[in-house]
Structures are given as structure tokens and as C-alpha cells.
């Protein structure tokens, strides 16, 4: 099967032609948490982390769910081929800004093959990334759509779409080695990390520690606009997740999202393009109620 067969019910096979697929038929497959830890630790570069993580089968519940979603599909996407695999990160291997989310959506990234695409959350995020100077265009709909990240990279704490958007602690921990290796490889260039939501905030701290970054004790609580500067490490910025629940209720606005991303870009020396928002460069990050 290949990516030219939109009606196929099978997940996309590695190396069969899906745009941006980092894996090949020869990419080693993790079939247990121990395999995932070993293959992540020995990945020589970010491209190989993306390749190996994109074929991971270490968590049986997540494998079954993501592939069932790809087979059953949502009626609105009945004629589309689903990716149906773990989500590779998106962005350059020498990024100065890293965005960390929870996990791909069942009919979002699990369908499109690119993290944070295929749903309204992605629409909000890529529009804000573009305004902050971190993405080449304001929209991204799927892998291979021409979008380019500009000094920024997007990843997830859990790389498979979980049932009801809730991975188990064991699944979170099994997936952590991919994030740890990514953080290790990014260390020479990484200057800022934007953490999208409380789950990703909690998942990030053990990953940072395992990757050799100094972390504070106790760990700071999550909140929109929370800033934590790690000694000899990146600036961490908390940001409400642009979920429909948060955007519909006004818990997070487009301006709030852009402010956090622009703060990360400025800290990393990747400031937004010159325009009439320049007067806001020194402004405090806007916050809203709650802490999601």
C-alpha cells in the first residue's frame, strides 16, 4: 500500500510514499518500552529519532486505537487515507524554540501525518506561529503542504493519538525516551521551550532531567505565561493549549497565544517580523483565568 491510495483502511507503511515520512522499511521498530528506550538513546540525530519514533509499537493500547481510528475514520474524512502511526516532530534539527504538546488528535495529526494539523487547535497554533515569525505561512493542513518552521520545532509528550485524549501514566513514561533524546540533541541550539497545556508541563520535567538539564525543586506550577529560566538551559514558557474548549470559552485568545510565542522567539533571537506589533515587544505576557 502507498500514500496514493486514499481509500485504504490500513495505516501508512513506512517508506511507501507519504509526504514527509521520515522512516523506511528498514527503520528499526520498538515493540516494548525497553526497545523504545534503547532505540531512542542510540539514535544519532533528530532525523533518526523522528524515523524510529514514527514506527514505534511499544504501547499495545495506543497501537490498537490509532490503527482502529485509521480503519474506521470519521464520516467527514471517509475518502481520506489516515496516517495511523506515531507522530514525528516537525521542524529543523537545530531549532532554537521547541513547542511541546500533549499528543496528536485521533482525526487531526493521526489523519494528516503532521502534528497540530487537521483541527481547530492547529489552525490557531500555526496562525500564531506565523505572526510570531516562527512559521513560513499562517496555515498548515497536512504533511507535505509546504509549511516550513523557522527556527522552531514542534513535538509531543506522547506521540500516538490516545483514546479520549488521555494517555495513561505508563504510556507517557514509555514514550518519554523519544523526547529525552530530542532534548539532548537540541541542547546546543535550544533557547526557549513553549509548553502547551498542563499535561505536557508535567511530562516535560522528567524528560528535561533525564536529558541532563538542571531542573528546580519543587517544580513550578503550570500557568499561562509562567516563565522558568533553567541555569545554563532554555527559558520555559507555559501556555494554555489552544483546544476548542479553551478558545471557545475565551480562556485563551489569539493574542494570548501570540504573546507567549513571540516572547519565546525574542528570547531565542528569532523575533517576529517588523510590523505595527513592535510596540508590544516589551509587554508582559497576557494571562487569563484558570490553568489549563
Amino acid at each position: 500500500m502507498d500514500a496514493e491510495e486514499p481509500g485504504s483502511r490500513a495505516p501508512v507503511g513506512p517508506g511507501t510514499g507519504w509526504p514527509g515520512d521520515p522512516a523506511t522499511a528498514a527503520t528499526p521498530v520498538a515493540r516494548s518500552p525497553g526497545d523504545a528506550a534503547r532505540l531512542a538513546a542510540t539514535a544519532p540525530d533528530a532525523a533518526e529519532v523522528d524515523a524510529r519514533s514514527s514506527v514505534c509499537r511499544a504501547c499495545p493500547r495506543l497501537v490498537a486505537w490509532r490503527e482502529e481510528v485509521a480503519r474506521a475514520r470519521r464520516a467527514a474524512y471517509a475518502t481520506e487515507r489516515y496516517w495511523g502511526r506515531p507522530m514525528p516532530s516537525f521542524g529543523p534539527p537545530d531549532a532554537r524554540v521547541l513547542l511541546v504538546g500533549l499528543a496528536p488528535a485521533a482525526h487531526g495529526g493521526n489523519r494528516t501525518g503532521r502534528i497540530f494539523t487537521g483541527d481547530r487547535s492547529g489552525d490557531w497554533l500555526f496562525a500564531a506561529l506565523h505572526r510570531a515569525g516562527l512559521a513560513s505561512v499562517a496555515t498548515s493542513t497536512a504533511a507535505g503542504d509546504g509549511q516550513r518552521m523557522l527556527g522552531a520545532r514542534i513535538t509531543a509528550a506522547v506521540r500516538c493519538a490516545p483514546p479520549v485524549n488521555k494517555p495513561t501514566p505508563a504510556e507517557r513514561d514509555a514514550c518519554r525516551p523519544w523526547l529525552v533524546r530530542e532534548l539532548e540533541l537540541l541542547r546546543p541550539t535550544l533557547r526557549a521551550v513553549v509548553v502547551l497545556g498542563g499535561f505536557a508541563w508535567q511530562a516535560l520535567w522528567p524528560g528535561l532531567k533525564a536529558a541532563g538539564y538542571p531542573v528546580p525543586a519543587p517544580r513550578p506550577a503550570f500557568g499561562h505565561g509562567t516563565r522558568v529560566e533553567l541555569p545554563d538551559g532554555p527559558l520555559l514558557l507555559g501556555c494554555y493549549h489552544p483546544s476548542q474548549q479553551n478558545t471557545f470559552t475565551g480562556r485563551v485568545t489569539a493574542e494570548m497565544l501570540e504573546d507567549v510565542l513571540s516572547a519565546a522567539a525574542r528570547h531565542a533571537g528569532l523575533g517576529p517580523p517588523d510590523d505595527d506589533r513592535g510596540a508590544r515587544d516589551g509587554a508582559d505576557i497576557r494571562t487569563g483565568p484558570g490553568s489549563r
Side-chain angles (χ1 to χ4, degrees), residues 7 17 43 66 69 114 127 169 180 197 208 234 242 248 262:
R66 77 191 191 211
V69 169
R114 175 175 293 163
V180 170
L208 286 167
F248 283 177
S262 293

Side-chain angles (χ1 to χ4, degrees), residues 58-113:
C59 299
R61 187 183 79 117
L62 296 187
V63 171
W65 172 253
R66 77 191 191 211
E67 295 185 357
E68 174 58 26
V69 169
R71 284 189 291 270
R73 299 181 294 195
R74 181 172 283 174
Y77 311 120
T79 62
E80 294 188 22
R81 180 80 182 268
Y82 272 56
W83 170 251
R85 284 169 40 197
M87 197 58 42
S89 299
F90 177 50
D94 58 350
R96 297 172 69 86
V97 175
L98 180 67
L99 282 76
V100 182
L102 163 58
H107 302 281
N110 191 56
R111 171 175 62 88
T112 66

Side-chain angles (χ1 to χ4, degrees), residues 158-247:
V158 175
R159 303 195 178 212
C160 292
V164 298
N165 294 320
K166 291 182 178 179
T168 67
E171 290 162 352
R172 174 202 62 200
D173 294 348
C175 207
R176 183 179 297 132
W178 305 117
L179 178 61
V180 170
R181 186 59 179 146
E182 199 163 14
L183 289 166
E184 290 174 341
L185 292 165
L186 283 171
R187 188 158 192 168
T189 59
L190 188 61
R191 299 294 178 267
V193 181
V194 176
V195 189
L196 298 164
F199 181 99
W201 183 266
Q202 293 299 321
L204 179 62
W205 292 106
L208 286 167
K209 184 175 182 180
Y213 292 79
V215 298
R219 295 169 186 167
F222 173 75
H224 185 84
T226 296
R227 302 170 67 107
V228 180
E229 289 211 44
L230 301 181
D232 300 317
L235 170 68
L236 272 58
L237 290 162
C239 183
Y240 291 162
H241 192 287
S243 65
Q244 289 194 34
Q245 177 184 356
N246 285 344
T247 58

